[in-house]
Amino acid sequence: MTEHLTPDEQPATYDEWLDAIEAGEGFYLESPEGHGSLPPRRVCPHSGSTELTQQPLPETGTIEAFSEVHVGAEGFSEDTPYINAIVDFGPVSLTGVLRGVEAADVSVGDEVRLTVETRETTDDRLLVFRPT
Amino acid sequence: MSTVRIAGVGLIPFGSYGDRAGRELFAAAALAAFEDAGVEREAVDQLNYGNFMGALTEHQGHQAPLMAEAAGLSCPAITYEEACASSGAAIREAVRTIRSGEAEVILAGGMERMTTLDTGEATAALAIAADELYEVRGGVTFPSAYALMARAYFETFGGDREDLAHIAVKNHKNGAANPHAQFRKEISLERALDSPPVATPLSLYDACPISDGASAVLLVSEAFADDHDLDAPVSITGTGQGGDRLALQDRETMAETPATAAAAKEAYADAGITADDVDFAEVHDCFTIAEVMAIESLGLVEPGEGITAAREGRTTADGEIPINLSGGLKAKGHPVGASGGSQIAEVTHLLRGDHPNSDAVEDTTVGLTHSAGGTVGSAVVTVLEVEQ
């Protein structure tokens, strides 16, 4: 089954996916049945299909859940406190850090856009949501 | 289906063990289980051992044969890793192996050293149970993941921090009498509410502590128990396991825990009972909100009722369905690889009537344990019953 491990069979790596978002070409993977998922992935977790195609990621999403984190993750000491959020973009949801708004002003259902920025603590890239 | 008897259980008090190596902790729990059972170590066919982060905390992989050696066993040994449900899974697989006839006697349990790490390191180590690409790189911690679940729950069913604080107060009260508990002190509602925020809406007293500990359960076939005239009144009559997508963002719902519901459905069918038959339970309360979701997904209360169950006294020691009479992970402690086995040991003591809190469940016959991995990406449910 090594033919399934050739690079051109791989829809995208995680870093290639971040590159695409940074280039304004964010995408998700869609199965023929219309289910959404994220790379790196070879099998649709909903339908089991291996026929995954790239589709444009909607430009905005809505906050499903959020938390102001006071005891930060490893590599986030200079970022703390920060707001973790899970955002519903329709076919897929994404998890990252919400910037540009105070936690007290955030509500579930708020609309945000997706960017790729870096942490305050390190140069590691980070999925960031900002208010529209 | 043949019954699997609990011949003996062994625990060490959860807490901080300084320089003592994990192998010594597990050996102590194992020896306590053999003493409780009155079974010779030579009878053991297999060790099923749960551990999650030993490679990070003690730089020790391949722990199962090491633990067999430490416990004085000469038998095959297997490590089970399902994050915080590791020893829950190890015990479930032991039950299935004995039922299959492949073994008669299995020592199952687990151990975790966690206090070898500082708080930041331990937080990072626990986070490896989450999705590394889509959660950890986004700054998600174990507490913030459960905080996100709490927010989703509040949005769906309502509830607030004070409801959660009542769960912390209840579990600390239960743990106060337990000699194996890390925190043997009651706390006030005000103290819980005034504790510093960790990841809103969760604060310090919503979280279980970082713990060292070990647990051991000696499981035997009914034929072995009868042949050796063992005093083993408690049996495991049902087990179940469920799974879910690892990342919260990919779940059907964050306000419920379908993996627990699936595990419970299988375990109840296996035991031939329903949720209504369960008299009390030890559930996975790594955070207060986790207890809420557990008792709902187990069917012990209706969806949306779990949040106020402690506040209303339904799940207190004198309530209709006592939850976490041991103190739970919240007060008893949560050495993750040992917790599932600890729950089985606590329920065994409660059913046998030799637990400090046994009076709360006098004349009851059915206890349940619920062990969850990560943010309930995996869940194991076990039904225990005692002969009247």
Side-chain angles (χ1 to χ4, degrees):
Chain A
M1 300 300 283
T2 51
E3 67 271 21
H4 292 298
L5 296 175
T6 56
D8 55 356
E9 288 284 340
Q10 167 61 269
T13 66
Y14 178 79
D15 281 330
E16 288 168 348
W17 180 71
L18 287 185
D19 293 342
I21 296 169
E22 279 195 295
E25 298 170 353
F27 65 90
Y28 68 96
L29 303 175
E30 186 180 66
S31 69
E33 293 78 10
H35 299 118
S37 60
L38 295 164
R41 188 174 299 279
R42 293 167 186 276
V43 181
C44 172
H46 303 280
S47 67
S49 172
T50 56
E51 303 299 318
L52 303 177
T53 57
Q54 295 185 7
Q55 300 294 332
L57 192 66
E59 291 188 358
T60 62
T62 57
I63 294 174
E64 287 184 271
F66 65 96
S67 170
E68 186 174 46
V69 183
H70 292 264
V71 180
E74 185 180 40
F76 281 80
S77 59
E78 300 300 316
D79 295 72
T80 306
Y82 57 91
I83 304 171
N84 264 156
I86 297 178
V87 175
D88 179 2
F89 284 86
V92 293
S93 292
L94 298 173
T95 309
V97 171
L98 177 62
R99 287 177 174 167
V101 61
E102 296 295 319
D105 298 325
V106 180
S107 297
V108 169
D110 286 355
E111 188 176 89
V112 295
R113 60 188 172 84
L114 175 66
T115 69
V116 175
E117 301 180 15
T118 57
R119 301 180 195 175
E120 300 287 339
T121 315
T122 70
D123 291 332
D124 289 301
R125 291 193 290 181
L126 178 68
L127 285 185
V128 169
F129 309 113
R130 288 188 175 273
T132 53
Chain B
M1 191 71 73
S2 63
T3 298
V4 174
R5 299 278 195 90
I6 297 177
V9 296
L11 291 168
I12 61 170
F14 290 174
S16 178
Y17 278 87
D19 292 334
R20 291 197 183 277
R23 67 191 78 182
E24 188 179 351
L25 273 57
F26 184 73
L31 293 176
F34 284 112
E35 183 177 347
D36 187 42
V39 173
E40 296 298 320
R41 296 199 296 273
E42 291 72 20
V44 176
D45 296 312
Q46 181 174 312
L47 170 64
N48 284 21
Y49 173 75
N51 179 263
F52 172 54
M53 55 169 72
L56 298 175
T57 60
E58 289 194 289
H59 304 289
Q60 181 65 65
H62 201 188
Q63 289 200 2
L66 179 68
M67 296 303 160
E69 173 191 333
L73 304 178
S74 301
C75 62
I78 311 157
T79 297
Y80 290 82
E81 192 273 293
E82 287 288 326
C84 311
S86 293
S87 55
I91 289 170
R92 167 172 152 81
E93 291 306 315
V95 169
R96 286 151 62 95
T97 303
I98 290 172
R99 282 176 168 179
S100 77
E102 290 287 329
E104 279 196 306
V105 182
I106 297 181
L107 183 68
M111 186 284 299
E112 207 75 65
R113 284 299 322 268
M114 299 174 72
T115 68
T116 54
L117 307 179
D118 65 29
T119 301
E121 292 169 337
T123 300
L126 286 166
I128 67 171
D131 187 319
E132 201 281 325
L133 292 180
Y134 281 99
E135 293 183 315
V136 179
R137 293 192 193 190
V140 172
T141 64
F142 195 31
S144 80
Y146 272 93
L148 291 164
M149 295 167 80
R151 186 82 64 185
Y153 183 94
F154 289 171
E155 286 292 321
T156 304
F157 297 112
D160 57 33
R161 286 191 61 228
E162 189 166 327
D163 293 322
L164 297 178
H166 278 277
I167 296 167
V169 170
K170 168 181 73 73
N171 290 352
H172 272 266
K173 185 174 184 179
N174 289 343
N178 186 351
H180 295 115
Q182 186 164 351
F183 295 138
R184 298 185 60 189
K185 60 185 179 186
E186 297 191 30
I187 60 168
S188 67
L189 191 67
E190 291 72 26
R191 182 169 176 180
L193 286 170
D194 290 345
S195 63
V198 176
T200 61
L202 303 180
S203 61
L204 186 63
Y205 273 82
D206 287 303
C208 65
I210 289 168
S211 316
D212 302 328
S215 61
V217 178
L218 191 66
L219 298 165
V220 301
S221 67
E222 187 148 39
F224 184 93
D226 291 343
D227 291 347
H228 295 78
D229 201 23
L230 299 184
D231 179 20
V234 178
S235 299
I236 292 179
T237 57
T239 75
Q241 184 163 353
D244 206 338
R245 305 283 295 278
L246 197 62
L248 288 173
Q249 66 185 27
D250 297 327
R251 304 260 176 97
E252 290 290 322
T253 173
M254 286 188 284
E256 300 173 48
T257 47
T260 295
K265 183 179 179 184
E266 183 184 0
Y268 294 154
D270 192 21
I273 66 167
T274 70
D276 291 341
D277 296 314
V278 177
D279 294 311
F280 66 95
E282 290 286 310
V283 307
H284 198 91
D285 61 328
C286 51
F287 297 91
T288 48
I289 186 66
E291 177 170 313
V292 174
M293 293 182 171
I295 61 177
E296 292 184 7
S297 294
L298 290 166
L300 302 178
V301 300
E302 293 296 315
E305 293 183 359
I307 187 68
T308 53
R311 182 197 281 252
E312 294 170 351
R314 296 175 63 188
T315 53
T316 53
D318 58 353
E320 66 194 67
I321 175 90
I323 300 295
N324 287 329
L325 284 167
S326 72
L329 280 50
K330 173 73 194 79
K332 189 187 173 187
H334 183 28
V336 295
S339 288
S342 165
Q343 293 174 320
I344 299 278
E346 295 283 351
V347 170
T348 300
H349 282 301
L350 286 160
L351 286 171
R352 293 195 317 207
D354 56 6
H355 190 284
N357 289 333
S358 280
D359 287 350
V361 288
E362 198 174 6
D363 297 327
T364 65
T365 58
V366 181
L368 176 146
T369 68
H370 161 260
S371 185
T375 51
V376 204
S378 54
V380 178
V381 170
T382 310
V383 177
L384 295 87
E385 300 187 53
V386 66
E387 290 175 351
Q388 284 290 34

